[in-house]
Amino acid sequence: MIKIRGLNKWFGKLHVLKDIDMDVVQKEVVVVIGASGSGKSTLLRCVNFLEFAHSGNIYIDGVEANAKSKNLHQVRADVGMVFQHFNLFPHRTVMGNVTEGLTQVKQVSQKEALEQGEDLLEKVGLSDKSDVYPAMLSGGQKQRVAIARALAMNPKIMLFDEPTSALDPELVGEVLQVMKNLANEGMTMIVVSHEMGFAREVGDRVVYMDEGRIVEEGHPDQIYSNPQNERTKAFLGQIL
C-alpha cells in the first residue's frame, strides 16, 4: 500500500529525513517510535503530502505521487490523517465536523452525508454527541471525532501522529480502543506513538527512527526484547 524509496527532506539547512526506504503492505499496522526531532511526524506528513520531500519517491497503492501529480487530490483522499491536537472546526458540531469532507470534497448529498456520519459516530462510540460542539468534549472524545472525520473520506490508509500524547492518561484507552478496532477490521495504518503496549498488542512491525534515519525495524517482541542497534537499546531503556 505504501512504498517509499530514497526519501530526503530538508527544512532550511536541517536534513530532517535521510534516505528513507519503507514499505507497508495492505492491512499492516506499523508503529514508528523515536525521540522528538527524529523525523517521525515529518515522515507521516510527506506520506500524506502535507509536506513535499526534496528527493525520493512515494507510491500509494501502486501509484506514484508527488507535488506535480495530477492525481494528488485523490491520493490525499486515500490517506487519512489524525493529528496530535485534533484540528476540529470549533464552529461546527460533531456531526458537522464529520460530514464536512463528505459534502465539500466528495460532493455527497446532505442526507447521505448524515447517514454516513451516524454510522461513523457509532463506530467511534459517539452517537450521542452528534449535535455537541467540540468545546464541550473531552480530549479523548475530540480525538475520536477526528478519527471519524478522517474515516469519512473512506481512506485506504490511516496515519496517526501521536494521537494520544495530548490526552490525559485516563482518556488514552478510549482512543487506542478505536484504533485497535480499525486494525482488527484490516485498516492499513502507520502510527507514530510512544504507547508501547499498543505497539506490542496491535503492531505488526515497529520502526525505530533516529536523526532522520530508520535505524532498526522488526516485530514488536523482537525490537523490545532484543534490539540489535545500540541507539535503539538506549532509547527503549529510557521509556520501557
Side-chain angles (χ1 to χ4, degrees):
M1 290 298 286
I2 303 171
K3 179 179 174 182
I4 301 170
R5 291 293 180 270
L7 204 67
N8 284 274
K9 173 70 178 176
W10 281 265
F11 289 117
K13 294 181 179 179
L14 185 63
H15 196 176
V16 182
L17 296 178
K18 303 171 183 174
D19 297 318
I20 297 289
D21 291 338
M22 185 176 177
D23 294 307
V24 182
V25 301
Q26 191 170 14
K27 299 186 178 182
E28 188 177 24
V29 178
V30 176
V31 181
V32 183
I33 63 173
S36 296
S38 58
K40 309 182 301 296
S41 294
T42 302
L43 175 61
L44 285 197
R45 292 175 70 85
C46 285
V47 173
N48 200 34
F49 303 98
L50 294 170
E51 301 280 356
F52 291 105
H54 289 97
S55 65
N57 306 93
I58 299 176
Y59 303 84
I60 303 295
D61 198 16
V63 178
E64 184 174 6
N66 54 48
K68 298 176 182 176
S69 297
K70 292 179 181 177
N71 63 337
L72 188 60
H73 180 73
Q74 180 57 49
V75 171
R76 278 192 171 128
D78 286 341
V79 184
M81 187 152 178
V82 176
F83 300 88
Q84 183 176 346
H85 293 293
F86 328 128
N87 292 6
L88 298 179
F89 302 117
H91 59 289
R92 303 294 302 273
T93 63
V94 165
M95 180 64 81
N97 269 277
V98 173
T99 57
E100 176 86 4
L102 286 169
T103 56
Q104 299 300 314
V105 180
K106 289 208 159 188
Q107 305 295 309
V108 169
S109 71
Q110 191 69 31
K111 180 174 181 291
E112 188 179 340
L114 288 172
E115 290 172 356
Q116 290 187 37
E118 287 172 3
D119 290 342
L120 288 163
L121 289 176
E122 183 177 352
K123 192 183 192 82
V124 299
L126 290 172
S127 295
D128 60 332
K129 301 292 184 184
S130 62
D131 296 328
V132 171
Y133 287 88
M136 306 299 291
L137 301 177
S138 71
Q141 290 169 332
K142 289 176 186 175
Q143 195 59 293
R144 285 188 280 153
V145 174
I147 292 171
R149 181 178 64 181
L151 290 173
M153 303 307 289
N154 196 26
K156 297 176 180 177
I157 298 157
M158 283 286 284
L159 309 177
F160 294 86
D161 189 8
E162 302 202 28
T164 60
S165 64
L167 302 180
D168 292 331
E170 69 271 18
L171 302 177
V172 168
E174 64 190 62
V175 174
L176 293 181
Q177 187 58 56
V178 171
M179 293 167 64
K180 288 175 189 176
N181 294 344
L182 282 178
N184 291 335
E185 292 169 8
M187 177 63 75
T188 306
M189 296 160 62
I190 303 180
V191 183
V192 170
S193 180
H194 292 302
E195 298 291 341
M196 294 298 144
F198 173 85
R200 180 164 278 181
E201 183 181 347
V202 182
D204 297 299
R205 185 157 43 102
V206 169
V207 172
Y208 171 63
M209 288 185 68
D210 186 55
E211 296 182 353
R213 297 186 189 278
I214 292 177
V215 174
E216 187 169 356
E217 57 184 302
H219 190 274
D221 289 338
Q222 180 259 308
I223 294 289
Y224 291 170
S225 305
N226 189 29
Q228 301 300 301
N229 188 282
E230 291 301 323
R231 286 186 284 179
T232 316
K233 291 178 184 176
F235 175 76
L236 291 173
Q238 292 175 335
I239 63 170
L240 288 180

